[in-house]
């Protein structure tokens, strides 16, 4: 406790110290006569009016001439003129200066970067940031905001098909920095951490997106910023602007996926294999089983034939029916459709001298390819009031209503008898729904349930009509900000953010659905003596719902210092933030016997045990209800300063200390200090610099430390309390083993950036290099799990990794002649990473053998990429059709021994792209604008699908089955091993040979967009601007390296189709 | 400057208050277990303390079931190997070793919590129950682990035979070692005698231990060790607490005698302490594990168990008579039937054949059709009494993991029982006293700790 108090005092003193020092600098005065005269012109040489500010005063520029009298030299003067970008210039001695100003309508890189805490111009920050403007975001017409910024900044990529990204966005900034911790960047919306659904943000309302890539830029965001920060800023109104109304409307279409590309064998082959297995007795146990479990249609047919329940003709007829099916087409016919999205939006903005506003409404209606529905309504209200000249209030409210509804059944999800079948059909020749066994065998339930039970069969072609599973989400995100300018160089801001997200989930199945009928039947009580029936579960639908609320709030108080005195400039912030986020969720119980209209329902006895109609086992229905309550709290103190001398040298630093209510951690360990430092050198401002080719050349170097923290990893044994339903006794269960040595993860990053612009302004480029060191990383280390025996590994700070990479981006205007303009942007990235330390208690015979994996999850092996793949060397099939590897250099089928022979394994490479990037070309001709986006991913490997006997036996038969080894001599023609029953002992080996790892390198046409801007200048009111646009999205493969015919992004072959979109934008 | 200093005041207040701001729990259900109530709650977590925890793979290695040729062929490779006693290496959790060490962890954690909770007049009852229970659970699972992983007790080699890991703490940094068989039994017996001082005569629920359970367990342990005098003595004490038996002619605890599902209710009058066999074994799949036909045929027709404990599918007998009330969960706890059989066998061993048979009759009278002739004590000498008791023991205690321990014990005494499997026209034999009777530990545990493998 003493220690804590000491820390607190220290911090407070620190805050004061900085404050006082900064203030003192401003108090020094000296009075001498230093006259500086100047001229101000636009690019055409016309004199301008405006004002000029220096250390002593602000004076008026009249007809392009001014005169100021600075207090000291060197001093910085700032020239402003309406409609032009402001200019600052350092003056070293009395004399004259000539200033040329660029109109603010011209696009130059005088854009402001919003870090979420402060808004600064790019040359005032040493960190590496990227800015994506709203123009780039609206170039694309589909996808959420994170999908739309892809390809518009360097250092940004999306992981495809990895375990770590399941349920997340998959977006990475500058690659990976951890092994077990979270890998995705922090999302910030309008200055506050955004924990809501990313799909709730309407991309059309986004003003810009800033990417904070290196530690210097991100460390201000503290503990969760180790993976970079994506700052999203939404549009606001502007002062002194007349009202503008903008509308947009667009539609897009996407054909159903190409299921026919799936690697399947087709009906007849599938049926033949099931026949073979049936003859081998493979299904006998399933057929005999007591609850009379479901069978696949063919197995059922064969069983009926064997039991003499069916005539020869009937058998042949049914067999013929199934043989001519194609499940892929049947799925497409029954469950798939063309996806269709509609977007509409209206936006109103404007402002007077004291007030600016923006009101926006947008609506999206989406029907997915499985008839799934989602609708989103977005309302935005943004207001800024200049209450006093030095006091501004801003209020921002965003309301989103989201509705989504489950669609039909996706390919391969209907599995009668727990098997997929290439011959599955959902309707018979008459178009009537076919029953397919689900839990119980249809013909058994028919026989026992006659006249007693409801139909117990499962009709996939009808089932989707009888369910209504939907989510309803209301999201309110609001911020209130107050800015008070105390002194010209000091302002105080207070911000408050509140977010409330209410979600309701409904799972409803009507009485006609299999789900309802099944439950009703299971608990139907039948007295054979009297033939009396009673229903434990009443006849009717079943309706369950659950609610979840997420509340988050944040308070932030901040002092902003922006002082320019002579050659010295200082820009600093100091602040503190409290943040809390609470989740409440509960299930609302289940209504049985539910009818929509008239609304009727009842509740039933969940706890008494009733005999099951088929098994007679006594069970309770027992849908238990749950309530959860979680609260996360954070307190942070932070500061950030940048000192600039002579507009040439910048030193910057930031420090932050985060505290959280991490459970099971001693209070002292709840705090984590983070920092960064950087230097910048604006070379082109040096007097020796000859601006021959390159203008605005600058160099920055930064280093910083940020952390990662996983709220689920703890240091004390944590038990979850509950109540045993049967006994009613309180229970406790240790859910996380105590590890007192656990610390936060640490991520250090060194970053270097060189930036410049060609003198004619046509080429603009930056080159960056970074190196990341992750240390104290969480790793799953084995331990003597005899102790706890619940999990065989424990989280420890055992691992380390490093990542390094280069980023190069270039913006060029190739041709700019009259009506024709061709410009391009390219982003090129190189990113490598490797594990540098990991902890293995179990020695492995071969380090490489740890990498014999699918490459779809992080797999740390020292010296190898985080997502690495190794594979067994392939020695072909032997004369018996068995796959061979190498054992001591000789082909062998001793798979056990091969797995222990290091030389039998080869390292294939990284499973994530090492080189990636994008190129955008824009061609403008008069009113036409064509945009083409191409992206590339190179230098990595993916694993394709393959055939195994075990897979085929369990019902999923890969197309390679057709090419398998069947007769001696085939080994010369094929590399697919023979099929064996009951078990081959090489499936594991064969699946991990180098045969199946193929290069993932590919180039994809990301989108093409054509915009036609109708010239409205000749029109009478009201259009100020009218644009028609059309385009295609969703990647056409232009080139791939592998010749296995596999699109690396769609390993299973189900390539999704292009999205066609059409839209209109208007402003008046 | 001074003018604006008030603006910083809120910062100070916030700094002072933020520790309290951070005190709130991140998840309302979480607790760092520290109190007596937490300790009891740990022990009342039945899924971790009682359900599917008792090592059971001995059953897989034993002779109570067999696979048909087709079933054998359709099993995965690991099962086929195990079936023929070629035990495959295995790793991680989800096996006999880890199933049983989970409740041992909870028991150890409860004991560690007690070290910091003072026993007072007010909490005496609860404190004693936690203490006695934790000691009992630990001893119970230590013993069940010994049956599967260690040789049967032999006075002459007990100091050198490998026992199990006597985990007595929750600190995983202390590496496990294999204690000797003697150390293991000494620890178990010490824990149990201590537990008997703390536990109540009867517990509030059969998942919680009681004095009766301690004596029943002591009888079982001494019986397995071959200390038949002690076994008899503890059996008598245990039976003085509970000697109830379900009458198969009709009983409130008997439901659905003819149904395909299990006939007995959970927590019936025969249960002294409730526990279930771990679900790591294969015969839980009751559609494929066929009961040895000779064993099934040995039930006389007036023996009601023949119909109640089994169902017949395609001419093969399948077992359904477990005491858990659910067929997928096999009973692995302590029951009065087993204690009566301990007593009968001990009496026979101690050369009291008449008393042995009379004791057996107390069981059979609840198993036979009312009015059937019981055994005549006059007809038995020591050997024939022992034979009939052991035969009844096999019939009564099916699929509880007991048969495997009996095989080990009988063979130690020289019974020379060979377990035979026939596959593909070949015979595979588990020889008496073979090392295969001690199942292997998880391979990664061996490599992590350096403990010797079986």
């Amino acid at each position: 406790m003493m220690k804590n108090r000491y820390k607190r005092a220290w911090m407070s003193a620190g805050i004061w110290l900085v404050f006082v020092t900064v203030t003192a600098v401003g108090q020094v005065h000296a009075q001498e006569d230093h006259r500086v005269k100047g001229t101000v012109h636009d690019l055409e040489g016309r004199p301008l009016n405006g004002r000029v500010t220096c250390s002593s005063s602000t004076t008026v520029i009249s007809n392009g001439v001014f005169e100021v009298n600075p207090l000291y030299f060197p001093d910085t003067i700032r020239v402003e003129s309406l409609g032009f970008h402001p200019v600052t210039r350092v003056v070293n001695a009395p004399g004259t200066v000539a200033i040329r100003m660029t109109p603010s309508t011209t696009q130059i890189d005088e854009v402001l970067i919003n870090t979420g805490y402060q808004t600064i111009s790019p040359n005032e920050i040493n960190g590496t940031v990227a800015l994506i403007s709203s123009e780039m975001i609206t170039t694309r017409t589909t996808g959420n905001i994170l999908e739309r910024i892809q390809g518009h900044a360097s250092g940004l990529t999306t992981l495809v098909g990895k375990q770590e990204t399941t349920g997340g966005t998959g977006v990475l900034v500058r690659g990976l920095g951890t092994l077990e911790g979270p890998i995705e960047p922090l999302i910030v919306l309008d200055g506050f951490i955004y924990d809501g659904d990313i799909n709730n943000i309407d991309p059309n309302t986004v003003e810009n997106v800033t990417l904070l890539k290196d530690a210097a830029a991100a460390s201000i965001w503290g503990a969760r910023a180790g993976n970079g920060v994506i700052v999203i800023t939404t549009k606001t109104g502007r002062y002194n602007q007349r009202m503008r109304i903008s509308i947009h409307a667009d539609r897009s279409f996407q054909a159903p996926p190409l299921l026919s590309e799936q690697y399947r064998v087709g009906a007849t082959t599938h049926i033949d294999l099931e026949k073979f297995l049936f003859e081998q007795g493979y299904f006998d146990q399933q057929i005999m089983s007591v609850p009379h479990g479901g069978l696949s249609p063919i197995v059922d047919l064969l069983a009926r034939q064997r039991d003499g329940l069916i005539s020869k003709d009937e058998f042949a007829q049914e067999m013929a029916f199934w043989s001519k099916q194609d499940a892929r087409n049947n799925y497409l016919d029954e469950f798939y459709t063309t996806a269709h999205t509609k977007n509409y939006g209206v936006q109103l903005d404007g402002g007077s001298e004291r007030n600016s506003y923006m009101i926006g409404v947008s609506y999206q209606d989406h029907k997915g390819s499985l008839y799934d529905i989602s609708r989103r309504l977005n309302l935005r209200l943004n207001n800024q009031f200049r209450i006093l000249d030095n006091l501004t209030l801003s209020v921002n409210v965003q309301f989103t209503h989201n509705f989504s509804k489950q669609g039909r059944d996706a390919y391969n999800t209907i599995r009668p008898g727990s098997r997929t079948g290439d011959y599955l059909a959902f309707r018979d020749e008459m178009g009537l729904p076919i029953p397919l066994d689900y839990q119980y065998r249809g013909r058994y339930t028919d026989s026992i349930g006659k006249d007693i039970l409801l139909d117990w069969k499962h009709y996939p072609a009808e089932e989707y009509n009888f369910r209504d599973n939907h989510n309803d989400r209301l999201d309110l995100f609001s911020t209130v900000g107050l800015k008070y300018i105390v002194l010209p160089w000091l302002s105080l801001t207070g911000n408050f953010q509140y977010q409330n997200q209410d979600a309701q989930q409904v799972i409803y199945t009507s009485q006609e659905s299999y789900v309802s009928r099944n439950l009703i039947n299971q608990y139907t009580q039948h007295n054979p003596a009297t033939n009396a029936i009673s229903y434990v579960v009443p006849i009717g639908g079943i309706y369950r719902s659950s609610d979840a609320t997420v509340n988050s709030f944040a308070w932030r108080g901040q002092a902003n210092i922006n002082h320019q005195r002579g050659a010295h400039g200082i820009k600093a912030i100091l602040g503190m933030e409290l943040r809390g986020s609470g989740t409440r969720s509960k299930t609302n119980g289940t209504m049985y016997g539910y009818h929509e209209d008239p609304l009727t329902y009842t509740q039933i006895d969940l706890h008494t045990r009733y005999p099951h109609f088929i098994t007679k086992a006594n069970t309770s229905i027992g849908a238990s209800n749950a309530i959860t309550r979680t609260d996360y709290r954070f307190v942070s103190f932070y500061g950030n300063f940048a000192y600039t001398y002579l507009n040439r040298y910048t030193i910057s630093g930031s420090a932050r200390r985060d505290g959280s209510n991490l459970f099971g951690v001693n209070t002292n360990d709840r705090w984590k200090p983070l920092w960064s430092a950087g230097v910048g050198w604006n070379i082109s401002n040096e007097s020796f610099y000859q601006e021959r080719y390159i203008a605005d050349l600058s160099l920055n170097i930064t280093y910083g430390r940020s952390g990662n923290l996983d709220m689920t990893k703890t240091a004390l044994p944590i038990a979850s309390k509950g109540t045993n339903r049967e006994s009613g006794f309180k229970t406790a269960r240790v859910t996380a083993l105590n590890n007192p040595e656990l610390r936060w993860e640490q991520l250090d990053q060194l970053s270097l950036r060189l930036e410049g612009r060609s003198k004619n302004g046509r080429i603009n480029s930056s080159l960056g290099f970074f190196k990341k060191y992750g240390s104290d990383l969480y790793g799953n280390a084995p331990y003597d799990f005899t102790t706890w025996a619940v999990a065989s590994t424990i989280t420890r700070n055992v691992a380390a990794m490093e990542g390094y990479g280069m980023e190069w981006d270039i913006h060029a205007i190739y041709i700019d002649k009259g009506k024709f303009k061709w410009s391009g942007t390219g982003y090129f990235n190189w990113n490598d990473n490797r594990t540098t330390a990991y902890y293995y208690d179990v020695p492995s015979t071969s380090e490489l053998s740890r990498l014999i994996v699918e490459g779809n999850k992080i797999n740390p092996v020292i010296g190898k990429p985080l997502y690495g793949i190794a594979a067994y060397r392939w020695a072909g099939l032997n004369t018996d059709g068995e796959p061979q590897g190498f054992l001591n250099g000789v082909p062998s089928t001793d798979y056990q021994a091969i797995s222990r022979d290091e030389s039998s394994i080869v390292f294939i490479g990284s499973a994530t792209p090492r080189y990636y990037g994008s190129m955008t070309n824009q061609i403008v001709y008069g009113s036409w604008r064509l945009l083409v986006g191409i992206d590339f991913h190179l230098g990595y490997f993916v694993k394709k699908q393959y055939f195994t006997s075990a897979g085929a036996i369990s019902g999923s038969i890969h197309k390679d089955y057709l090419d398998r080894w069947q007769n001696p001599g085939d080994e010369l023609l094929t590399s697919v091993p023979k099929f064996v029953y009951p078990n081959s002992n090489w499936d594991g080996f064969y699946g991990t040979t180098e045969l199946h790892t193929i290069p993932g390198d590919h180039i994809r046409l990301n989108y093409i967009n054509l915009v036609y801007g109708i010239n409205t200048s000749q029109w009478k009111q009201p259009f100020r601007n009218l644009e028609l646009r059309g385009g295609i999205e969703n990647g056409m493969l232009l080139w791939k390296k592998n010749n296995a015919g596999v699109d690396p992004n769609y390993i299973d072959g189900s390539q999704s189709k292009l999205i066609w979109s059409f839209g209109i934008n208007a402003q008046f | 400057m001074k003018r604006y200093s008030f603006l910083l005041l809120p910062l100070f207040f916030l700094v002072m208050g933020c520790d309290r701001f951070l005190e709130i729990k991140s998840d309302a259900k979480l607790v760092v277990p520290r109190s007596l109530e937490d300790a009891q709650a740990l022990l009342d977590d039945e899924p971790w303390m009682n359900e599917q925890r008792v090592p059971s793979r001995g059953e897989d290695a034993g002779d109570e079931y067999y696979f048909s040729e087709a079933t054998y062929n359709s099993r995965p490779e690991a099962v086929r190997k195990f079936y023929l006693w070629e035990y495959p290496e295995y790793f991680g959790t989800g096996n006999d070793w880890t199933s049983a060490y989970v409740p041992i962890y909870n028991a150890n954690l409860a004991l560690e919590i007690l070290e910091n909770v003072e026993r007072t007049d007010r909490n005496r009852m609860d404190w004693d129950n936690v203490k006695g229970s934790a000691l009992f659970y630990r001893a119970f699972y230590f013993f069940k682990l010994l049956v599967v992983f260690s040789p049967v007790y032999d006075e002459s080699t007990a100091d050198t035979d490998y026992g199990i890991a006597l985990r007595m703490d929750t600190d995983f940094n202390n590496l496990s070692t294999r204690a000797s068989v003697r150390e293991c039994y000494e620890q178990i017996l010490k824990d149990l005698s201590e537990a008997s001082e703390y536990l109540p005569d009867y517990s509030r629920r059969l998942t919680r231990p009681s004095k009766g359970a301690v004596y029943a367990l002591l009888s079982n342990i001494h019986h397995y060790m071959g200390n038949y005098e002690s076994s008899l003595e503890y059996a008598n004490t245990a039976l003085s607490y509970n000697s109830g038996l379900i009458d198969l002619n009709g009983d409130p605890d008997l439901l659905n005698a003819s149904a395909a599902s299990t006939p007995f209710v959970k927590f019936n009058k025969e249960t002294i302490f409730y526990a279930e066999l771990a679900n790591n074994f294969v015969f839980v799949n009751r559609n494929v594990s066929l009961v040895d036909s000779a064993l099934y045929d040995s039930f006389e027709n007036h023996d009601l168990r023949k119909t109640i404990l089994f169902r017949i599918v395609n001419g093969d007998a399948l077992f359904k008579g477990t005491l858990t009330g659910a067929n997928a969960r096999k009973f692995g706890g302590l029951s009065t039937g087993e204690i009566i059989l301990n007593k009968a066998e001990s009496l026979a061993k101690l050369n009291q054949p008449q008393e042995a048979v009379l004791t057996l009759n107390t069981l059979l009278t609840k198993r036979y059709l009312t009015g059937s002739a019981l055994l005549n004590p006059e007809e038995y000498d020591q050997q024939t009494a022992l034979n009939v008791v052991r035969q009844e023991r096999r019939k009564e205690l099916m699929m509880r993991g007991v048969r495997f321990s009996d095989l080990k014990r009988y063979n130690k005494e020289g019974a020379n029982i060979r377990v035979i499997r026939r596959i593909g026209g070949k015979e595979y034999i588990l020889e008496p006293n073979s090392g295969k009777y001690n199942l292997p530990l998880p391979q990664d545990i061996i490599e992590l700790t350096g403990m010797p493998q079986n």
Side-chain angles (χ1 to χ4, degrees), chain A residues 1 4-5 8 12-13 15-16 19-20 23 280-282 284-285 288-291 484 486-487 489-490 492 553 557 559 575-576 578-580 609 615-618 626-635 637 659-664 666-667 670-671 711 716-722 724 726-741 782-792 794 796 841-843 896 900 981-985, chain B residues 1 3-5 7-8 10-12 14-35 37-38 40-48 51 53 70-77 80-81 89 91-95 97-106 108-109 165 167 169-177 204-205 207-208 255-256 259-261 266-267 285-288 311 313-314 325 442 444-445 447-449 451:
Chain A
M1 203 56 219
N4 257 354
R5 221 169 261 167
R8 249 185 252 138
S12 313
I15 292 170
W16 277 104
F19 205 81
V20 169
T23 318
Q280 299 298 311
Y282 177 75
D284 286 357
Q285 186 211 329
M288 285 187 332
S289 70
V290 165
Y484 181 59
V486 186
L487 295 168
W489 53 269
L490 171 70
L492 297 175
F553 65 89
M576 146 160 206
L578 295 180
R579 212 156 56 75
R609 291 163 161 254
T615 65
K616 306 295 177 208
N618 287 303
I627 297 180
T628 58
R629 202 176 83 211
T630 59
D631 285 284
Y632 292 117
R633 296 273 175 98
F634 300 89
V635 177
F637 298 93
S660 77
N661 68 332
L662 250 188
F663 196 65
N666 294 323
T667 312
R670 286 177 180 159
W671 292 90
M711 303 294 282
L716 292 176
I718 289 186
S720 183
K721 290 282 282 250
N724 187 298
E726 266 190 55
S727 68
F729 290 161
K730 287 240 174 356
T731 63
R733 181 175 296 182
V734 172
T735 50
L737 192 52
N738 45 323
N739 181 1
E741 297 155 16
Y783 72 110
D784 177 9
F785 56 90
T786 302
T787 321
W788 190 42
V790 177
S792 60
I794 187 172
R796 286 178 166 169
D841 253 356
V842 184
Q896 194 93 36
R900 292 170 201 276
Y981 178 84
N983 264 301
S984 71
N985 57 347
Chain B
M1 183 62 230
R3 206 146 55 99
Y4 304 111
S5 62
L7 290 166
L8 287 174
L11 274 177
F12 282 105
L14 290 169
V15 173
M16 303 312 275
C18 67
D19 271 353
R20 196 182 301 164
F21 181 74
L22 293 181
E23 283 303 318
I24 192 160
K25 260 189 209 182
S26 52
D27 184 334
K29 280 179 186 158
L30 298 182
V31 63
V32 174
R34 286 193 178 112
S35 68
E37 192 205 338
D38 295 337
Q40 182 65 59
L42 282 166
L43 301 180
D44 280 334
D45 186 14
E46 290 167 24
W48 278 26
E51 292 170 15
R53 293 286 153 200
T71 301
Y72 172 83
N73 282 330
S74 66
R75 299 297 97 187
E77 190 185 7
R80 283 182 284 148
K81 279 188 156 178
E89 278 185 1
F91 302 87
T93 57
N95 49 60
W97 187 262
T98 55
S99 296
Y101 276 104
V102 169
I104 290 169
Y105 173 85
N106 272 16
N108 283 328
L109 185 57
R167 291 291 330 180
D169 60 23
T170 61
D171 183 355
F172 60 85
N173 293 309
N174 300 336
L175 281 190
S176 304
T177 52
R204 294 191 187 153
R205 188 172 160 87
T207 51
R208 286 188 180 183
L255 294 172
N256 297 324
S261 57
K266 193 178 175 179
F267 298 156
N285 189 339
R286 56 192 189 278
N287 297 317
V288 293
R311 64 191 177 89
V313 174
N314 297 337
D444 43 357
I445 286 282
E447 287 168 15
L448 285 161
T449 61
M451 287 194 287

Side-chain angles (χ1 to χ4, degrees), chain A residues 533-650:
Chain A
I533 290 175
S534 66
Y535 296 106
V536 176
V537 178
I539 289 189
I542 298 170
Y543 181 96
R544 39 182 72 115
S545 67
S546 58
D547 296 321
T549 309
V550 182
N551 267 307
S552 71
F553 65 89
W555 286 99
R556 183 185 297 159
Q558 183 173 306
N560 310 287
I561 294 148
N562 184 357
H563 200 60
Q564 189 82 40
R565 184 171 185 277
H568 311 276
I570 187 157
K571 203 152 197 181
I573 56 171
L574 259 178
M576 146 160 206
E577 185 176 279
L578 295 180
R579 212 156 56 75
S581 154
T583 308
R584 307 281 180 273
S585 71
K586 66 178 200 306
T587 54
N588 296 330
T590 308
M591 306 296 173
Y592 296 88
Y594 185 90
H595 289 273
E596 295 260 77
D597 189 18
L599 184 62
T600 47
Y601 57 86
T602 175
Q603 278 164 7
I604 58 169
D605 177 2
L606 297 171
H607 297 290
T608 311
R609 291 163 161 254
Y610 294 99
H612 187 284
F613 193 88
I614 295 177
T615 65
K616 306 295 177 208
N618 287 303
T619 50
S620 59
I621 296 160
S624 61
N625 291 326
I627 297 180
T628 58
R629 202 176 83 211
T630 59
D631 285 284
Y632 292 117
R633 296 273 175 98
F634 300 89
V635 177
S636 317
F637 298 93
Y638 58 89
N640 180 348
F641 81 94
Y643 166 77
T644 315
Y645 179 67
L646 283 175
N647 258 0
R648 289 177 204 161
Y649 316 105
T650 309

